[in-house]
Amino acid sequence: MKETFIHKNAILGNNICIGNGVTIEQDVVIGNNTYIGNHVTILSGSRIGENCQIHSNAVLGGIPQDLKYKGEYTLLEIGDNNIIREFVTINKGTISKGKTRIGNSNLIMSNAHIGHDCVIGNNSIIGFSVGMAGEVVVQDWVNISGLTAIHQFSVIGEHAMISGLSRVVKDVPPFIVAAHEPLRFAGLNTVGLKRRGFNSSKIDELRSIYRILFQEKRNTKFALELIAESFKETAERNKILKFVLQSKRGIIKGFEF
């Protein structure tokens, strides 16, 4: 049986539970009250917050799977209250951004992979065997269902939900459900929004905005102009406009009739 190895220069907080066969290299920092299951590997450059659960056979801070990586010093930063399940792999950053960042209170299910320089926000669920290429951005309160593959540089907006077995090659705007093949707008994430306190009038506003953007077959530029003219400024309206205007990969398509 593999013995547990903890490098003398690793910095561990209080009340940390460490299982059998764990490897923790030097230049690792782990916060208080974190659980580390059997045969977990935490490599140099990893920073892990408090109250996290890291389950068996996860590998954190691995070398980026990117041929441009030349051994430069980079980090993996993981916040507080995250649950990282069995066999998850999360690579550290490259010179591009210098770090891979995971926020707080996320659930990353078993066998998921998060590539170099990704940025994951807070309160998101990354499903079973999700494959996330490098430099993906996932905003807050996102739900990505199992076996989804996400192309590098893609951005997934806050409160979005992506159906299982999806192929994400375009940006997914906030507050919506994305489904089908090719991936496209499939409605508002009504259930998720209600759970998070969005009231009926706010949901109606979002539904009306996305009707113009996705369901009326308008040119995207004209649709954005119409939304800006037709709806008073709210945080949600502004987030949608900003997301679409700043998209580099372009956004997913609307309904197909």
Side-chain angles (χ1 to χ4, degrees):
M1 179 181 291
K2 174 186 171 184
E3 294 184 359
T4 292
F5 169 79
I6 302 174
H7 195 280
K8 64 181 181 180
N9 293 332
I11 300 174
L12 275 59
N14 299 317
N15 194 35
I16 293 178
C17 178
I18 299 177
N20 297 317
V22 169
T23 296
I24 300 175
E25 292 189 339
Q26 64 178 332
D27 191 26
V28 168
V29 179
I30 302 174
N32 299 330
N33 304 309
T34 287
Y35 165 83
I36 301 171
N38 296 332
H39 304 289
V40 168
T41 301
I42 304 176
L43 300 167
S44 296
S46 297
R47 309 286 185 264
I48 299 168
E50 299 185 348
N51 303 306
C52 291
Q53 298 177 29
I54 304 168
H55 289 260
S56 299
N57 296 288
V59 180
L60 306 183
I63 292 173
Q65 298 175 51
D66 183 346
L67 295 176
K68 297 188 298 296
Y69 179 72
K70 302 300 181 186
E72 60 268 21
Y73 181 79
T74 59
L75 299 173
L76 165 63
E77 294 183 353
I78 296 174
D80 301 331
N81 304 306
N82 291 290
I83 300 174
I84 299 171
R85 294 304 304 256
E86 297 82 359
F87 293 98
V88 166
T89 57
I90 308 177
N91 294 160
K92 61 185 178 181
T94 68
I95 197 171
S96 175
K97 290 185 171 65
K99 64 180 69 173
T100 300
R101 291 190 288 121
I102 314 292
N104 302 318
S105 302
N106 299 289
L107 168 58
I108 304 173
M109 294 187 185
S110 58
N111 291 284
H113 171 74
I114 297 175
H116 64 87
D117 301 292
C118 286
V119 179
I120 313 295
N122 306 308
N123 302 295
S124 289
I125 299 174
I126 312 299
F128 166 80
S129 287
V130 167
M132 194 177 299
E135 304 196 48
V136 168
V137 175
V138 177
Q139 297 179 354
D140 297 343
W141 296 103
V142 169
N143 190 330
I144 304 173
S145 299
L147 296 164
T148 291
I150 305 174
H151 195 282
Q152 63 185 359
F153 305 113
S154 297
V155 181
I156 300 173
E158 63 184 82
H159 297 282
M161 180 172 183
I162 299 176
S163 68
L165 292 166
S166 292
R167 181 172 61 94
V168 181
V169 297
K170 297 286 187 179
D171 293 344
V172 179
F175 312 114
I176 70 169
V177 174
H180 310 299
E181 175 58 36
L183 192 70
R184 56 188 184 271
F185 173 73
L188 209 61
N189 184 14
T190 307
V191 172
L193 294 173
K194 287 180 178 177
R195 287 174 178 170
R196 291 158 204 149
F198 286 72
N199 60 33
S200 297
S201 61
K202 180 58 64 177
I203 289 173
D204 288 342
E205 173 196 335
L206 295 171
R207 186 177 287 114
S208 297
I209 289 172
Y210 277 118
R211 183 177 297 114
I212 292 172
L213 183 61
F214 281 130
Q215 295 174 253
E216 296 183 356
K217 292 190 175 294
R218 299 179 186 274
N219 173 278
T220 299
K221 182 176 182 296
F222 179 72
L224 295 177
E225 292 172 353
L226 183 59
I227 291 166
E229 293 170 0
S230 303
F231 295 86
K232 66 180 181 180
E233 283 201 39
T234 65
E236 292 76 19
R237 185 210 76 154
N238 291 347
K239 285 177 180 178
I240 294 168
L241 293 175
K242 182 179 179 181
F243 186 97
V244 178
L245 286 169
Q246 292 185 345
S247 174
K248 296 179 180 179
R249 296 191 58 78
I251 62 171
I252 60 173
K253 301 297 184 182
F255 282 120
E256 293 184 1
F257 297 98

